[in-house]
Amino acid sequence: MPRIKRGVTTRQKHKRLLDQAKGYRGRRKNTIRVARQAVEKAGQYAYRDRKVKKRTFRALWIQRINAAVRAEGLTYSQFMHGVKLAGIELDRKVMADLAMNEAGAFSSIIKQAKDALPA
């Protein structure tokens, strides 16, 4: 049984790693050991920030809804409570888009939510 030399697979591995580190500065782009650390850390940041992106967009949608609702004399929490009571099943992303681009439609949603609130 002949012995197996691993130079080819190692070179492929290193090439793939350096391709992932393309655009990095200093030794992070061309030294295997440093590039491996940089790519691994970049992956950790990417994983974390995919979660953070969802949070920041939700916060943006809430701010937009709140701004539109306060112009009609309600707070965000009162509005959301009224929406739940009225049985309106629109998510925050859609409501924020309506508040920004379709003011008339959103004001009718606000009216429905106001009517559903207990006096």
Side-chain angles (χ1 to χ4, degrees):
M1 184 181 260
R3 89 184 167 107
I4 296 169
K5 299 171 77 175
R6 299 185 320 215
V8 175
T9 53
T10 302
R11 195 169 298 111
Q12 285 175 342
K13 227 173 173 179
H14 288 178
K15 186 175 184 308
R16 187 174 359 155
L17 185 74
L18 291 176
D19 285 342
Q20 286 178 314
K22 197 178 190 85
Y24 291 3
R25 297 182 65 169
R27 290 193 323 162
R28 309 172 111 226
K29 72 174 171 282
N30 53 19
T31 306
I32 299 300
R33 190 181 298 177
V34 181
R36 182 178 294 125
Q37 292 173 352
V39 167
E40 190 174 314
K41 193 64 170 179
Q44 291 171 354
Y45 286 139
Y47 177 82
R48 180 197 66 190
D49 290 338
R50 281 195 296 273
K51 312 287 181 254
V52 171
K53 184 167 83 169
K54 293 169 181 61
R55 287 179 226 153
T56 54
F57 268 102
R58 183 182 166 97
L60 176 68
W61 299 331
I62 288 172
Q63 288 170 359
R64 287 179 174 173
I65 293 169
N66 192 16
V69 164
R70 283 186 185 268
E72 301 279 337
L74 280 177
T75 64
Y76 171 78
S77 61
Q78 289 169 340
F79 170 71
M80 290 309 286
H81 181 58
V83 164
K84 296 284 184 280
L85 293 177
I88 301 169
E89 294 189 9
L90 292 175
D91 59 0
R92 286 168 179 81
K93 179 180 178 179
V94 172
M95 283 198 277
D97 188 52
L98 285 173
M100 291 290 291
N101 302 320
E102 309 275 337
F106 191 68
S107 62
S108 68
I109 293 173
I110 294 173
K111 186 178 181 313
Q112 288 177 1
K114 264 186 188 176
D115 294 341
L117 287 172

